[in-house]
Amino acid sequence: MKRVQFSASYVPYLFLAPQLAVIFVFFYWPSVQAIQSSFYIEDPFGFGASFVGFANYTDAIFSPEYVSIAKFTVVFTILVTFFSLALGLLLAVKADAVIRGSSTYKTLLISVYAIAPPVAGLIGMMFFDQHIGPFVKMAAFLGWDMKVGLNYSDTAFAMIVVAVWKQIPYNFIFFLSGLQSVPVSVREAAAIDCRSGFRRFWTVIMPLLAPTAFFLLIINITYSLFDTFGVIDVMVKDKAANNPITLVYKVFLDGFRGNDIGGSSAQSVILMLVVFVLTIIQFRFIEKRIHYN
């Protein structure tokens, strides 16, 4: 392979400069500012700040409200990640077996991913509307008096359903690509060695999909923690006190509506540390079970 040679030593850095500038401006600088602000109680109008040390952190960690929201965030993340991956894989397996009309089938499944999270939340609210929502009518037929936006559990259920629905196409795309990359010879050998379709998939196909599944696991956890903000913002209808919210949405509420800059900064730092620890655990322990060759 021919190695590229630059006429001057600074040319490679010129190519890297735009990306480095974006990373610095939109990640490192805000992170440093958040860490700095987390040690202060700041005037919302910018007239001054008082150093309080770790008081913002202790107030958040030992707050019953914060602990309750953290518990819901964990449950929400686990359920959204699990069902998004499971349903995406199931649909990919079914689509991989379709011969006639496969393009139409795949297009219909993928098209949902083009919907922005706030729009997905709005569509979800239409489906769960008290007057015209088909899901509410189905629940009423089964004896469930569903009140999304008023009842905590009902709103949590609706949020999870909409968040899962929004993420399924993304997982479907990658799982389908992974399935289609499995050699035909491997499938034929597996069919000869194992008559059970489920066992054949679990022992032969799934290990080959492990790198894709590991990648999607990280993406889906990140999606559940952060990218569902738009869905939640639409579905709680400015009534966060009566509805379930995640830690990311609480940072927004405290910072932009409560004008508690120091407290919201401390919460964002805590969330950043949680994601950092989860990333280490995933790459340190889970990736060891993944074989890329």
Side-chain angles (χ1 to χ4, degrees), residues 7 16 24-25 41 60 90 93 120 130 152 176 194 213 217 228 255 285:
S7 58
L16 288 174
F24 175 79
V25 172
I41 293 180
L90 177 63
V93 171
Q130 289 296 116
Y152 185 95
L176 182 61
C194 184
L217 175 64
T228 53
F285 298 102

Side-chain angles (χ1 to χ4, degrees), residues 167 170-171 214-224 227:
Q167 187 65 5
Y170 186 88
N171 299 329
F214 176 70
F215 164 76
L216 289 176
L217 175 64
I218 298 174
I219 294 298
N220 279 261
I221 291 177
T222 304
Y223 164 78
S224 303
D227 293 346

Side-chain angles (χ1 to χ4, degrees), residues 152-168:
Y152 185 95
S153 300
D154 294 346
T155 307
F157 174 79
M159 285 167 50
I160 292 172
V161 170
V162 175
V164 169
W165 169 69
K166 174 68 177 68
Q167 187 65 5
I168 286 176

Side-chain angles (χ1 to χ4, degrees), residues 241-263:
N242 301 322
N243 291 301
I245 59 174
T246 59
L247 291 176
V248 171
Y249 197 73
K250 180 166 173 42
V251 172
F252 164 75
L253 288 178
D254 290 352
F256 289 90
R257 295 186 182 176
N259 291 324
D260 183 9
I261 306 300

Side-chain angles (χ1 to χ4, degrees), residues 146-225:
M146 182 180 292
K147 296 180 179 179
V148 177
L150 299 175
N151 183 275
Y152 185 95
S153 300
D154 294 346
T155 307
F157 174 79
M159 285 167 50
I160 292 172
V161 170
V162 175
V164 169
W165 169 69
K166 174 68 177 68
Q167 187 65 5
I168 286 176
Y170 186 88
N171 299 329
F172 169 79
I173 295 171
F174 281 90
F175 276 132
L176 182 61
S177 299
L179 287 170
Q180 292 179 342
S181 66
V182 176
V184 177
S185 59
V186 174
R187 295 174 182 261
E188 293 175 348
I192 296 174
D193 295 338
C194 184
R195 296 181 60 184
S196 173
F198 176 79
R199 185 179 177 185
R200 182 166 62 245
F201 173 81
W202 188 254
T203 58
V204 178
I205 305 299
M206 194 60 199
L208 297 176
L209 287 177
T212 301
F214 176 70
F215 164 76
L216 289 176
L217 175 64
I218 298 174
I219 294 298
N220 279 261
I221 291 177
T222 304
Y223 164 78
S224 303
L225 287 173

